[in-house]
Amino acid sequence: GGLVVVFHDISELSRLERIRRDFVANVSHELRTPLTSVKGYAETLLLGVEQGTSKPEGQKSFLEIIIKHANHMAKTVNDLLSLTRLESGKKPFDVKPVDGAKAAAQALRECEHLVEGKSVHVELDLPDTQMVNADFDRLVQVFRNLIENAVKYGVKPDQCGGSHDGVCLAARIWSRDDDGMVIFGVEDQGPGIPAGDMERIFERFYRVDKHRTKGAGSSGLGLAICKHIVEKLGGRLWAESPTATGAGTCFMFTVPKAPAFSDTETVE
Ligand code: ADP
């Protein structure tokens, strides 16, 4: 028996070692791409200044590109820290009855800068209160990531033209009761997610369209963070996307229902 156990441990050890190595390789790759750009643009900028050949307009656009890539790196590092902190379990979840409708509304306020000047809006289609047992801030974080994605990927470029006032709906957030749980949905009208990618989008650093998502707003970690939080709260996160019709994506997650608000409960 002892020998079997030893073999078992070794294979587990090498599995973990492989995961660790893949992870380090992924992180390095994620940071190297924007870093290479920052370095390249800064060097060209410096050369132009030294030789007196660059104009302020050109300098400005180079600096803007540098800032964009620096922001990308900052987002990646922040999301990585967020995920690592979640996984280490060092900061325990503060689970109590909270209002999921309030969490969605707060997330939407925190996402306002994303929709500014973009003529898209996100609709809250929730009851006045939707009590769940959850950590309020983590719940806000899940909504925020899903809203961010809906705004980033869920709007078809040609979609705004036909809608009234030129303002198009990026996402609708709804909820419904389901057997002791509440299901929250964040539904968009975008191009959808191909069936083959559906399982993998929750993996770290996985992106459907590697080129389209190279911009500053993508770390490839958002959904991995959401999944971790939701599962820790005792729920499930998944997505449905009837891509054949191009009818968008609906991300859904469940959270345990809490008794309705009463005077004795604390609500965030
Ligand atoms: P990212 O930081 O790249 O947005 P996520 O983990 O949040 O990372 O998402 C992973 C990938 O899933 C995205 O890069 C995108 O390709 C795809 N995706 C996420 N949300 C949507 C959506 N609402 N519509 C279409 N594709 C999406």
Side-chain angles (χ1 to χ4, degrees), residues 158-184:
D158 58 348
Q159 199 190 336
C160 288
S163 65
H164 60 112
D165 300 338
V167 177
C168 66
L169 185 66
R172 195 173 67 86
I173 303 176
W174 51 260
S175 72
R176 63 166 187 261
D177 285 9
D178 181 58
D179 197 24
M181 305 292 274
V182 174
I183 307 180
F184 289 101

Side-chain angles (χ1 to χ4, degrees), residues 60-199:
K60 184 168 176 279
S61 79
F62 271 37
L63 287 170
E64 280 164 356
I65 295 169
I66 290 171
I67 290 169
K68 190 185 93 177
H69 288 293
N71 281 337
H72 185 182
M73 285 190 279
K75 180 172 165 54
T76 302
V77 171
N78 282 337
D79 282 355
L80 264 175
L81 285 174
S82 189
L83 194 58
T84 312
R85 236 178 268 133
L86 279 169
E87 284 176 343
S88 76
K90 275 203 187 112
K91 196 164 173 267
F93 277 29
D94 182 18
V95 177
K96 59 188 176 200
V98 296
D99 185 358
K102 268 201 186 126
Q106 180 170 325
L108 190 53
R109 275 196 304 277
E110 292 176 13
C111 286
E112 240 148 41
H113 66 282
L114 292 172
V115 297
E116 245 165 34
K118 261 192 185 164
S119 43
V120 295
H121 75 112
V122 178
E123 188 181 290
L124 285 179
D125 194 0
L126 294 161
D128 287 343
T129 52
Q130 183 61 271
M131 298 305 290
V132 289
N133 258 327
D135 178 310
F136 187 80
D137 293 339
R138 300 285 83 79
L139 197 57
V140 172
Q141 197 178 0
V142 172
F143 277 121
R144 207 172 46 219
N145 278 335
L146 296 179
I147 295 170
E148 249 180 66
N149 281 353
V151 173
K152 272 193 294 186
Y153 312 112
V155 185
K156 281 185 234 156
D158 58 348
Q159 199 190 336
C160 288
S163 65
H164 60 112
D165 300 338
V167 177
C168 66
L169 185 66
R172 195 173 67 86
I173 303 176
W174 51 260
S175 72
R176 63 166 187 261
D177 285 9
D178 181 58
D179 197 24
M181 305 292 274
V182 174
I183 307 180
F184 289 101
V186 179
E187 198 170 334
D188 68 52
Q189 314 288 311
I193 295 168
D197 294 301
M198 204 44 121
E199 284 304 311

